[in-house]
Structures are given as C-alpha cells and as structure tokens.
Amino acid sequence: MTAPGMADDAMNPEQVKKLQRELEEAQETLRAIRQGEVDGLVVEGPNGPQLFTLKTAEQPYRMLVEQMQEGALTLTPVGDVLYCNRRFAELVGAAPETIVGAPIGPFVAEADQPLLAAALRAGRGKYEGHLLAFDGRSVPALFSVGTFVADGSESLCLVVTDLVELIRTRAARAAAEAASQAKDQFLAMLGHELRNPLGAISSAVSVLGQSSPTPEHDRRARDVIAHQAEHLSRLVSDLLDVTRGALGKIELVRAPIDVAAAVRRCLAALDSTQKLGQHVVTVDVEPVWVEADGVRIEQIVMNLMSNSLKFTPRGGAISVTVSRERDEAVLRVADDGAGISAELLPSVFDLFVQGERDLDRRARGLGVGLSLVRRLVELHGGRVDAASPGQGRGSVFTVRLPALVDAPQTPGPSVEAPARGERRRILVVEDSADNREILRILLESAGHEVHESGDGVSGVEIAVQLEPDVVLIDIGLPGIDGFQVALAMRARCPRARIVLTSSRDLADLGAERVSACGAAGFVHKAALSREAIAAATA
C-alpha cells in the first residue's frame, strides 16, 4: 500500500519545491546568524512585526553608552530607573545596582524636580539644574529628556551632562572680560591723569618763557610745576608699589613706630601744601606703638587721607582717630563725603576700582590707592575694612595693626634734612642730557664743582683723570650698566664716594647688588631733590 501523503506529494511537485526553498532560506539564515552576519530579526506576530536584536549586535552600543562622558539613564514614564551607565553612577557617587529600580527624584535637587517632572510628562525637554550626590553634594548639570519605543513599549531616556568645568570656564571668561574692561578703563584714566598735570606744567613753562613775567606770575608758575610734578611722582610711585605688591617684592624695614606721630606728620605735610584748608579736619590720636615700616605706615595714612579729600566736597568734615583696642592699633579715617554704594563696597579695595566720577573730574585718581593700602596693611599682619551707609552719606576706613605691648625705651631714629656740606668735586655719569642738566643745576646751586659724562666708558676715563670726591652713576646706562661702571671705578678710583641712581626702586634692583659693586648709597631719580643729593654727597 502507498501512504496517502506520499501520493499527494507525488501529485504536487510545486509544493515540494516551495518546501525546499523555505528549508534553504532557513539554513542560510542559521548560517548567517552563526557567522555573526545578522544583527536582528523581524518577526511577524499577532501584534504586527517586532524587532529582536541579538546580544552580539547590542554589545557595541552598550559599550558606547558605558564609555560616554555623560550620564545616561532609561526611565519609565513615572520616573523609575530601568538602566544607568557608569558615568551617572560616578556623578551621584552610588553603585549602579542601588540606582536601578529606584525613582530618579532623590537624585535631583528639590528646586529642579518640577522641571524634570514636566519634561518627563512631555517626553522631551532640556534644562540646567543640579544633581544631588549620595554624599549631599550638589552637582550642576544639563538634563536632556527624550522618548524611544522598544519591544512595543515606550521608555524615556535621560542624558545628564556635568557642567562643573563649563561653569568654571564661564567664570574664568567673565573674570577675564572684567579684567580686560578694567584695564581699558584704567588706560583711559591714566591718559587723563597724565595729560592734566603735563598740560599744567607745559603752560607754566610757557609763562616762565615769557620775556618779562612778573615776580608773582613767576612764583605761581613755579608752584604749579612743583605741585604737578609731585602729583606725577605720587602717581608713578603708587603704580610701581602696586606692581611690586602683586609680585611680592615689597620689603619692609621694621622698627617701633608711633602711629599717632605718623598721622601728625602726614597731616602737617598735607597742611603745608594747603590741601586741608577746604575741609574741616578733626584729629583725635593717642600714642600706640607698632613694629612696622615707618615709610609704609605714612603711605597708608596719606592714601586714606587723599581718598577722603578727593571724595569729600568743599567744607565737608574729615576725622582721623588713632586708639588702642585690646592688642591692636586702630586707625580710622571717616568723612561725610560721597560715600560708597552697596554694590561697590565689597570690591572697593580691588585694583582699578572706582566710584562714579563727577563731570568736573574733581575726584581724580586711578583706583590704585586703596588696593595699595590693603596690600601694605596685610604685609604688616593687619587688616583694613570700609563701611558706608550709602552714596552721599560718607564712609569710614578702619586699619587694624598688631600693637606692641609696651612703648620702646628709645624712640626710633628721626629723619632730618642734612646740613649743607662742604664743596665737592662731583662727576655725573648719565646718558640723558636733560637729567644731566638738572643734576648740574641742583649740584652747582648747592655749591659743588660738577663734571659730566654721557656713558660708562668715558665716565671711567674721566674719573681716573679727575679723581672726583663723589660719582653719581645712572644704573641704566647703555653698553655697560651702572653696576659695571661702579666696579671699574671702585678699582681705579678707590677714594671716590659712589652713589647709584635709577628710576627703578631699590627693591627691584636688589640692595645686595648695590653694596656688592662698592656703591656707598642709592638715590631714586624721583627723589633727586637738593636734600637727597646733599645726603648722598655728605
């Protein structure tokens, strides 16, 4: 007997061919799967076609997500975590197994949770907020929410980007932009501050150049030149001191100093130049001794007084007090002038910071004086602060310095103008013709015999022939500098007293270099007055 199925197959060759083709396709599919040529399968089911991916196909994508520098999560529509990558676990400082299955809410700052909830409901969104780490840290982050469908079910994806470095970069950029703006404003102010005194000096020189100026005009023109030259000198000195302070090159020469005496000297100097006449100045000081640099203490007082004088209108009141409070010497300078706004007060001691300037430019300056005050006070181990009820209501600056327990038995040395010395033979070695001329005038008016040289080589030759009593040498000579010239002169003219001059500060040049080359002294060019030269040539 023959089976009915076999008879039917023999009677239906087309069906046999169809089965053979399907078998071949199935075998080819299995071969492709075994050899890794298939990433997924689409299967027709009761709910339509469904995509099934193979583990080998998912592996590269999973590795990619795990290596991301952003935190990545898969969430349910209600915010439960289905998956998180390694980076998110690092951001919140928790193990992945403690995150998966938990709600996302506890890892988001309370203030940002409504934003995240709204993004999850919408299925999309992006905002900046904060993650809450397991140890309580708040981490600034960018949250990006999206939606995807897998295996017929909808899920949410959340990508979290750490913004710590970006915020630091933003802050650094903002600081750099603010510094650049401050620098531009400073340069503009510097131009004005230099132009004004130079213009006054130029006009005064024109008056002196007239064929027959009256004695009164002559005196007033000379006073203008002296006053504006002093202003320029203080301006440059403050700028140089600020730079030295920033570089840590300010050297203090400490000695017992009575702060009250320093205040009285400063006020006497201001009064002698008639700078206090337009204000009502009250002084209440008691002796308080500190271990400090006397020059720098007076610089602090002068800068605070200059600030009050600038910003207090004519007829306004300024009070200066010195007292002892426990173990501190306390200096206060108060005024009823322009005051300081609440916005400006925290940065009033920052470099180049200024309040609003009047159109008449009465309140002049570069915004470096108070910054220098803070630096000098801190170098002495003290502190300074500013207080003001607001604009137009005055201000108070308070300096606190460590006070000595007892007053010193012997007072510190006082600086007095030296007596006029005997006539000297002096050689000036200076490459600037104008400086040589001024030095000649000053020295000859003091009764000295003066000779000149414009460079170091000829200066040594002249010194050998002349055998001077004193040699004033500019350190910044072309060719061989003043240190080398001084060494050569010390070897060939051992009797000569060598004094170095420079427009740079001694702290910048190095006091040890001055003494190592055999120089007996140093005079800053800004202080080349008759008294300073008399001290150097005594």
Side-chain angles (χ1 to χ4, degrees), residues 26-39 54:
Q27 290 176 336
E28 177 61 22
T29 299
L30 290 173
R31 184 199 62 78
I33 291 174
R34 291 191 186 100
Q35 295 183 5
E37 298 175 2
V38 176
D39 295 332
L54 304 181

Side-chain angles (χ1 to χ4, degrees), residues 174-213:
E177 290 174 353
S180 178
Q181 183 179 8
K183 179 197 68 175
D184 293 340
Q185 292 174 348
F186 162 72
L187 291 175
M189 290 186 293
L190 179 61
H192 284 294
E193 293 298 326
L194 293 177
R195 183 177 62 185
N196 288 344
L198 289 175
I201 290 173
S202 178
S203 299
V205 170
S206 298
V207 171
L208 295 175
Q210 292 177 356
S211 56
S212 57

